[in-house]
Amino acid sequence: MSEYSIGIEDHYAWANMVSVTTSGPNEILLDKRRVELLDQQLTASPYHHETLQMPLAEAEKLVRDVKTSANNRAKSVLSSLIGELAPAKCRGIAIRVPPLPELPATVAEVHANTWIMNRADGMIYHQALTRAAAQLDLRVLYFEKDDV
């Protein structure tokens, strides 16, 4: 095995990762794992729950803390997986199309639109995973969740 790809199914605060390679016409499972993307003391859905009743400054801090934790954890779990499968080279990750085109800059903007608020928490973890992949120089391929 010289190259492999990682498929990611992201959820609130965790993700499933499946690493596969091919040998001729056969696909070979190298690794599968569930990874945590958030420090335990933090809330997984800050936009949809806790920040609704908080003063805006406190709400912004909570969201920043959740994003920081998710970003750190995502990079750590991807780096660990790549290290464990070395010397094979990871070609990239496959992950669903993001739930939003972009995450609004403020908690107030998220709260102003129910459709966005219902997707914003998921965006935190999706962005953390794709950002980590980019930092590790991994190609990111997107798929439609309904097509899987």
mmCIF file of all heavy atoms in Angstrom, residues 6-32:
data_model
loop_
_atom_site.group_PDB
_atom_site.id
_atom_site.type_symbol
_atom_site.label_atom_id
_atom_site.label_comp_id
_atom_site.label_asym_id
_atom_site.label_seq_id
_atom_site.Cartn_x
_atom_site.Cartn_y
_atom_site.Cartn_z
ATOM 1 N N ILE A 6 -9.174 9.086 2.926
ATOM 2 C CA ILE A 6 -9.970 9.064 4.154
ATOM 3 C C ILE A 6 -11.361 9.597 3.836
ATOM 4 O O ILE A 6 -11.497 10.718 3.340
ATOM 5 C CB ILE A 6 -9.340 9.937 5.265
ATOM 6 C CG1 ILE A 6 -7.906 9.487 5.569
ATOM 7 C CG2 ILE A 6 -10.203 9.913 6.529
ATOM 8 C CD1 ILE A 6 -7.136 10.458 6.463
ATOM 9 N N GLY A 7 -12.371 8.800 4.118
ATOM 10 C CA GLY A 7 -13.753 9.251 4.011
ATOM 11 C C GLY A 7 -14.213 9.705 5.380
ATOM 12 O O GLY A 7 -13.946 9.038 6.379
ATOM 13 N N ILE A 8 -14.882 10.847 5.437
ATOM 14 C CA ILE A 8 -15.305 11.409 6.727
ATOM 15 C C ILE A 8 -16.808 11.647 6.721
ATOM 16 O O ILE A 8 -17.347 12.284 5.811
ATOM 17 C CB ILE A 8 -14.572 12.728 7.035
ATOM 18 C CG1 ILE A 8 -13.061 12.492 7.095
ATOM 19 C CG2 ILE A 8 -15.084 13.329 8.351
ATOM 20 C CD1 ILE A 8 -12.245 13.749 7.313
ATOM 21 N N GLU A 9 -17.460 11.158 7.762
ATOM 22 C CA GLU A 9 -18.869 11.433 8.021
ATOM 23 C C GLU A 9 -18.891 12.280 9.291
ATOM 24 O O GLU A 9 -18.620 11.779 10.383
ATOM 25 C CB GLU A 9 -19.624 10.112 8.223
ATOM 26 C CG GLU A 9 -21.074 10.305 8.555
ATOM 27 C CD GLU A 9 -21.746 8.990 8.935
ATOM 28 O OE1 GLU A 9 -21.070 8.063 9.398
ATOM 29 O OE2 GLU A 9 -22.968 8.934 8.774
ATOM 30 N N ASP A 10 -19.126 13.586 9.130
ATOM 31 C CA ASP A 10 -19.053 14.487 10.275
ATOM 32 C C ASP A 10 -20.413 14.658 10.938
ATOM 33 O O ASP A 10 -21.449 14.630 10.291
ATOM 34 C CB ASP A 10 -18.462 15.841 9.878
ATOM 35 C CG ASP A 10 -19.260 16.564 8.806
ATOM 36 O OD1 ASP A 10 -19.474 15.990 7.735
ATOM 37 O OD2 ASP A 10 -19.655 17.719 9.055
ATOM 38 N N HIS A 11 -20.381 14.814 12.250
ATOM 39 C CA HIS A 11 -21.571 15.018 13.075
ATOM 40 C C HIS A 11 -21.269 16.128 14.077
ATOM 41 O O HIS A 11 -20.181 16.677 14.097
ATOM 42 C CB HIS A 11 -21.913 13.733 13.830
ATOM 43 C CG HIS A 11 -22.273 12.600 12.934
ATOM 44 N ND1 HIS A 11 -23.539 12.399 12.461
ATOM 45 C CD2 HIS A 11 -21.520 11.605 12.400
ATOM 46 C CE1 HIS A 11 -23.560 11.330 11.693
ATOM 47 N NE2 HIS A 11 -22.344 10.834 11.637
ATOM 48 N N TYR A 12 -22.200 16.422 14.946
ATOM 49 C CA TYR A 12 -21.944 17.392 16.010
ATOM 50 C C TYR A 12 -20.917 16.799 16.963
ATOM 51 O O TYR A 12 -21.168 15.781 17.591
ATOM 52 C CB TYR A 12 -23.209 17.685 16.798
ATOM 53 C CG TYR A 12 -24.187 18.612 16.139
ATOM 54 C CD1 TYR A 12 -24.084 18.983 14.817
ATOM 55 C CD2 TYR A 12 -25.252 19.116 16.858
ATOM 56 C CE1 TYR A 12 -24.995 19.824 14.220
ATOM 57 C CE2 TYR A 12 -26.179 19.963 16.266
ATOM 58 C CZ TYR A 12 -26.040 20.309 14.965
ATOM 59 O OH TYR A 12 -26.946 21.148 14.379
ATOM 60 N N ALA A 13 -19.773 17.416 17.033
ATOM 61 C CA ALA A 13 -18.733 17.108 18.007
ATOM 62 C C ALA A 13 -18.010 15.780 17.788
ATOM 63 O O ALA A 13 -17.157 15.421 18.571
ATOM 64 C CB ALA A 13 -19.267 17.186 19.431
ATOM 65 N N TRP A 14 -18.335 15.048 16.742
ATOM 66 C CA TRP A 14 -17.606 13.813 16.448
ATOM 67 C C TRP A 14 -17.702 13.494 14.966
ATOM 68 O O TRP A 14 -18.480 14.101 14.246
ATOM 69 C CB TRP A 14 -18.117 12.652 17.302
ATOM 70 C CG TRP A 14 -19.550 12.281 17.099
ATOM 71 C CD1 TRP A 14 -20.634 12.869 17.698
ATOM 72 C CD2 TRP A 14 -20.073 11.264 16.246
ATOM 73 N NE1 TRP A 14 -21.792 12.279 17.252
ATOM 74 C CE2 TRP A 14 -21.482 11.277 16.362
ATOM 75 C CE3 TRP A 14 -19.489 10.336 15.387
ATOM 76 C CZ2 TRP A 14 -22.296 10.409 15.664
ATOM 77 C CZ3 TRP A 14 -20.316 9.463 14.687
ATOM 78 C CH2 TRP A 14 -21.700 9.510 14.848
ATOM 79 N N ALA A 15 -16.883 12.545 14.534
ATOM 80 C CA ALA A 15 -16.903 12.129 13.135
ATOM 81 C C ALA A 15 -16.482 10.668 13.034
ATOM 82 O O ALA A 15 -15.738 10.166 13.876
ATOM 83 C CB ALA A 15 -15.952 12.996 12.305
ATOM 84 N N ASN A 16 -16.966 10.005 11.994
ATOM 85 C CA ASN A 16 -16.472 8.679 11.623
ATOM 86 C C ASN A 16 -15.459 8.891 10.519
ATOM 87 O O ASN A 16 -15.698 9.663 9.589
ATOM 88 C CB ASN A 16 -17.605 7.796 11.103
ATOM 89 C CG ASN A 16 -18.543 7.364 12.200
ATOM 90 O OD1 ASN A 16 -18.110 7.011 13.292
ATOM 91 N ND2 ASN A 16 -19.830 7.392 11.927
ATOM 92 N N MET A 17 -14.329 8.187 10.613
ATOM 93 C CA MET A 17 -13.296 8.258 9.584
ATOM 94 C C MET A 17 -12.999 6.850 9.101
ATOM 95 O O MET A 17 -12.789 5.944 9.920
ATOM 96 C CB MET A 17 -12.016 8.887 10.124
ATOM 97 C CG MET A 17 -12.161 10.323 10.506
ATOM 98 S SD MET A 17 -10.551 11.003 10.979
ATOM 99 C CE MET A 17 -10.990 12.712 11.137
ATOM 100 N N VAL A 18 -12.984 6.683 7.789
ATOM 101 C CA VAL A 18 -12.692 5.389 7.179
ATOM 102 C C VAL A 18 -11.565 5.595 6.175
ATOM 103 O O VAL A 18 -11.684 6.427 5.269
ATOM 104 C CB VAL A 18 -13.943 4.811 6.478
ATOM 105 C CG1 VAL A 18 -13.625 3.499 5.797
ATOM 106 C CG2 VAL A 18 -15.089 4.649 7.464
ATOM 107 N N SER A 19 -10.484 4.853 6.339
ATOM 108 C CA SER A 19 -9.336 4.956 5.439
ATOM 109 C C SER A 19 -9.300 3.718 4.555
ATOM 110 O O SER A 19 -9.349 2.590 5.060
ATOM 111 C CB SER A 19 -8.039 5.054 6.234
ATOM 112 O OG SER A 19 -8.086 6.178 7.087
ATOM 113 N N VAL A 20 -9.211 3.945 3.240
ATOM 114 C CA VAL A 20 -9.210 2.833 2.282
ATOM 115 C C VAL A 20 -8.125 3.037 1.230
ATOM 116 O O VAL A 20 -7.720 4.158 0.935
ATOM 117 C CB VAL A 20 -10.579 2.668 1.582
ATOM 118 C CG1 VAL A 20 -11.663 2.290 2.571
ATOM 119 C CG2 VAL A 20 -10.964 3.923 0.823
ATOM 120 N N THR A 21 -7.695 1.916 0.691
ATOM 121 C CA THR A 21 -6.762 1.923 -0.430
ATOM 122 C C THR A 21 -7.288 0.938 -1.455
ATOM 123 O O THR A 21 -8.252 0.211 -1.179
ATOM 124 C CB THR A 21 -5.326 1.543 0.018
ATOM 125 O OG1 THR A 21 -4.424 1.787 -1.050
ATOM 126 C CG2 THR A 21 -5.239 0.109 0.492
ATOM 127 N N THR A 22 -6.685 0.923 -2.607
ATOM 128 C CA THR A 22 -7.091 -0.038 -3.628
ATOM 129 C C THR A 22 -5.895 -0.888 -4.021
ATOM 130 O O THR A 22 -4.745 -0.449 -3.970
ATOM 131 C CB THR A 22 -7.650 0.652 -4.889
ATOM 132 O OG1 THR A 22 -6.679 1.563 -5.382
ATOM 133 C CG2 THR A 22 -8.940 1.395 -4.573
ATOM 134 N N SER A 23 -6.204 -2.111 -4.386
ATOM 135 C CA SER A 23 -5.207 -3.030 -4.913
ATOM 136 C C SER A 23 -5.861 -3.701 -6.109
ATOM 137 O O SER A 23 -6.731 -4.558 -5.939
ATOM 138 C CB SER A 23 -4.808 -4.057 -3.851
ATOM 139 O OG SER A 23 -3.900 -4.982 -4.397
ATOM 140 N N GLY A 24 -5.501 -3.230 -7.287
ATOM 141 C CA GLY A 24 -6.196 -3.716 -8.481
ATOM 142 C C GLY A 24 -7.652 -3.287 -8.394
ATOM 143 O O GLY A 24 -7.946 -2.137 -8.084
ATOM 144 N N PRO A 25 -8.577 -4.210 -8.606
ATOM 145 C CA PRO A 25 -9.998 -3.861 -8.552
ATOM 146 C C PRO A 25 -10.576 -3.883 -7.132
ATOM 147 O O PRO A 25 -11.740 -3.570 -6.928
ATOM 148 C CB PRO A 25 -10.651 -4.938 -9.415
ATOM 149 C CG PRO A 25 -9.773 -6.129 -9.229
ATOM 150 C CD PRO A 25 -8.364 -5.570 -9.098
ATOM 151 N N ASN A 26 -9.765 -4.226 -6.144
ATOM 152 C CA ASN A 26 -10.259 -4.397 -4.771
ATOM 153 C C ASN A 26 -10.008 -3.167 -3.908
ATOM 154 O O ASN A 26 -8.937 -2.568 -3.972
ATOM 155 C CB ASN A 26 -9.589 -5.609 -4.123
ATOM 156 C CG ASN A 26 -9.833 -6.877 -4.885
ATOM 157 O OD1 ASN A 26 -10.943 -7.120 -5.343
ATOM 158 N ND2 ASN A 26 -8.793 -7.685 -5.055
ATOM 159 N N GLU A 27 -10.993 -2.861 -3.086
ATOM 160 C CA GLU A 27 -10.827 -1.813 -2.082
ATOM 161 C C GLU A 27 -10.481 -2.493 -0.769
ATOM 162 O O GLU A 27 -11.080 -3.513 -0.413
ATOM 163 C CB GLU A 27 -12.117 -1.010 -1.934
ATOM 164 C CG GLU A 27 -12.475 -0.253 -3.199
ATOM 165 C CD GLU A 27 -13.862 0.364 -3.141
ATOM 166 O OE1 GLU A 27 -14.622 0.056 -2.208
ATOM 167 O OE2 GLU A 27 -14.170 1.143 -4.041
ATOM 168 N N ILE A 28 -9.527 -1.933 -0.053
ATOM 169 C CA ILE A 28 -9.066 -2.541 1.186
ATOM 170 C C ILE A 28 -9.253 -1.536 2.322
ATOM 171 O O ILE A 28 -8.756 -0.407 2.253
ATOM 172 C CB ILE A 28 -7.584 -2.943 1.083
ATOM 173 C CG1 ILE A 28 -7.397 -3.940 -0.071
ATOM 174 C CG2 ILE A 28 -7.085 -3.518 2.399
ATOM 175 C CD1 ILE A 28 -5.954 -4.155 -0.459
ATOM 176 N N LEU A 29 -9.969 -1.949 3.357
ATOM 177 C CA LEU A 29 -10.170 -1.122 4.543
ATOM 178 C C LEU A 29 -8.896 -1.140 5.378
ATOM 179 O O LEU A 29 -8.430 -2.205 5.778
ATOM 180 C CB LEU A 29 -11.344 -1.653 5.368
ATOM 181 C CG LEU A 29 -11.604 -0.949 6.692
ATOM 182 C CD1 LEU A 29 -12.037 0.491 6.458
ATOM 183 C CD2 LEU A 29 -12.649 -1.701 7.494
ATOM 184 N N LEU A 30 -8.339 0.025 5.621
ATOM 185 C CA LEU A 30 -7.125 0.140 6.428
ATOM 186 C C LEU A 30 -7.429 0.488 7.876
ATOM 187 O O LEU A 30 -6.752 0.039 8.788
ATOM 188 C CB LEU A 30 -6.205 1.218 5.856
ATOM 189 C CG LEU A 30 -5.738 1.028 4.423
ATOM 190 C CD1 LEU A 30 -4.949 2.242 3.972
ATOM 191 C CD2 LEU A 30 -4.918 -0.243 4.303
ATOM 192 N N ASP A 31 -8.438 1.333 8.066
ATOM 193 C CA ASP A 31 -8.723 1.829 9.405
ATOM 194 C C ASP A 31 -10.132 2.412 9.427
ATOM 195 O O ASP A 31 -10.573 3.002 8.438
ATOM 196 C CB ASP A 31 -7.717 2.928 9.782
ATOM 197 C CG ASP A 31 -7.893 3.432 11.188
ATOM 198 O OD1 ASP A 31 -7.296 2.832 12.099
ATOM 199 O OD2 ASP A 31 -8.635 4.416 11.386
ATOM 200 N N LYS A 32 -10.815 2.230 10.530
ATOM 201 C CA LYS A 32 -12.072 2.958 10.752
ATOM 202 C C LYS A 32 -12.114 3.336 12.218
ATOM 203 O O LYS A 32 -11.702 2.575 13.083
ATOM 204 C CB LYS A 32 -13.288 2.148 10.327
ATOM 205 C CG LYS A 32 -13.540 0.903 11.112
ATOM 206 C CD LYS A 32 -14.790 0.208 10.609
ATOM 207 C CE LYS A 32 -15.042 -1.039 11.427
ATOM 208 N NZ LYS A 32 -16.270 -1.698 11.058
#
